[in-house]
Amino acid sequence: MHALSIWQRGTEVNAVAAEALKQGADCLDAVEAALRFSEDDVRDSSTGRGGLPNAAGQVELDAAIMFGPTAEAGAVGGLRRTSQAISVARRVMEETPHMLLVGEGAETFARQQGFDESDLLTDDSAAKWQEWRRGRGGADPERHDTMATLAIDGRGQIAGGVTTSGTPFKLPGRVGDSAIIGAGLYVDQGVGAAAATGVGEEAIRVSASFLVVELMRSGLSPDAACRRALERLLSSHPASAERQLALAALRADGAAGGGSVKPGFAYAYFDGGHNRLVQVGSVLD
Ligand code: SD4
């Protein structure tokens, strides 16, 4: 049993996944429980209710989930008024022939599936939006902690999920990497799983999560695969050095790794015994 969740905040989130796995949950349930924990935490300004809104003051959530054994996946983009984006993504995977629902269609589907309508803006996130509108900052886009969890259960099955309110104050309708299978998330039962965080456009540019999995398939360690994917991004688009993109990977044998363009990235890693925080070095160092 292994689990990985990103950023420092991932320690708490990963503890939820670890506990679920220890209780015998399968990897999908562990991933969903961990990410629901993040979405339900209103203090967190990166996911679910309390997530920072778009430029028009509306919270639009992106999320995806993928199951290694069957390569099935589901995702939502620009989901409004529904806090449990990861669970809606799972329903897209399990209840529809589709992989990605966006905007109004995603919201209608969520209602049909019984997810309550809720106001995702909190006093705090509304205040940050107002500050941003007045040109006084409001939030540092580089300090936005999208949450991703990758997990291997007791039967060796691998799954991954990612959930986010996206880059703060994005244009309405902008969908980021977290809704796009291959960019923000990818899982291959025979190889492992990878997830991305940071400026989503950079992850989409190189299909970052798919690329990390393919690099692990060719024999690179999780650390080396993440670094190589970032080097590939920087060599094809040097201006990407100005924007944070961070990657984390969990190989099918449980080995973990990560890489980031800029310093400051970390992930929490549960190896079946302990849950600890691993600091990740920048590829520019
Ligand atoms: C996005 N990748 O929507 C997300 C944002 C993010 O930490 O990861 N923030 O571009």
Side-chain angles (χ1 to χ4, degrees):
M1 288 181 294
H2 293 81
L4 179 161
S5 300
I6 59 174
W7 298 111
Q8 189 151 354
R9 200 166 59 76
T11 309
E12 262 185 293
V13 174
N14 216 41
V16 175
E19 195 47 43
L21 292 172
K22 283 195 254 177
Q23 300 292 327
D26 74 20
C27 54
L28 270 179
D29 287 342
V31 163
E32 185 181 7
L35 296 177
R36 278 285 282 265
F37 171 82
S38 176
E39 291 172 343
D40 290 347
D41 182 355
V42 290
R43 295 164 308 166
D44 161 47
S45 61
S46 305
T47 62
R49 186 159 180 272
L52 290 169
N54 64 18
Q58 301 142 333
V59 181
E60 293 189 328
L61 305 177
D62 294 342
I65 194 161
M66 187 162 187
F67 185 50
T70 58
E72 280 168 358
V76 288
L79 175 67
R80 292 190 190 169
R81 291 178 284 270
T82 315
S83 61
Q84 298 101 358
I86 192 65
S87 298
V88 181
R90 184 169 178 180
R91 295 287 177 89
V92 171
M93 174 173 79
E94 291 176 344
E95 306 294 337
T96 80
H98 309 306
M99 222 173 238
L100 170 61
L101 292 181
V102 301
E104 230 178 273
E107 192 181 340
T108 302
F109 173 73
R111 282 315 149 262
Q112 286 165 349
Q113 290 290 316
F115 292 91
D116 289 338
E117 178 168 341
S118 63
D119 182 5
L120 302 184
L121 211 56
T122 58
D123 289 348
D124 191 49
S125 59
K128 286 190 175 126
W129 175 64
Q130 294 288 4
E131 274 174 54
W132 171 79
R133 274 216 306 177
R134 291 192 207 107
R136 296 198 198 123
D140 177 359
E142 298 267 319
R143 302 217 43 200
H144 188 262
D145 300 353
T146 286
M147 189 45 62
T149 298
L150 310 174
I152 303 174
D153 63 26
R155 291 160 58 195
Q157 305 181 116
I158 313 175
V162 57
T163 186
T164 188
S165 51
T167 49
F169 322 125
K170 61 194 177 183
L171 286 178
R174 179 265 190 187
V175 173
D177 60 314
S178 308
I180 299 176
I181 298 298
L185 175 72
Y186 198 71
V187 182
D188 181 299
Q189 183 59 33
V191 178
T197 180
V199 181
E201 284 72 11
E202 303 304 324
I204 296 170
R205 199 184 303 284
V206 289
S207 299
S209 295
F210 181 75
L211 180 56
V212 168
V213 169
E214 291 312 298
L215 289 166
M216 289 197 292
R217 190 192 305 280
S218 71
L220 294 191
S221 69
D223 268 331
C226 292
R227 288 184 72 90
R228 184 72 63 80
L230 293 168
E231 285 160 8
R232 164 88 175 274
L233 169 70
L234 296 176
S235 70
S236 57
H237 190 255
S240 298
E242 302 303 318
R243 306 170 93 189
Q244 177 64 306
L245 178 66
L247 303 171
L250 183 63
R251 204 168 56 189
D253 65 358
S260 63
V261 171
K262 296 185 179 184
F265 182 56
Y267 61 83
Y269 175 55
F270 167 69
D271 61 6
H274 299 286
N275 184 31
R276 64 190 163 88
L277 193 69
V278 180
Q279 300 290 342
V280 172
S282 152
V283 288
L284 298 175
D285 283 346

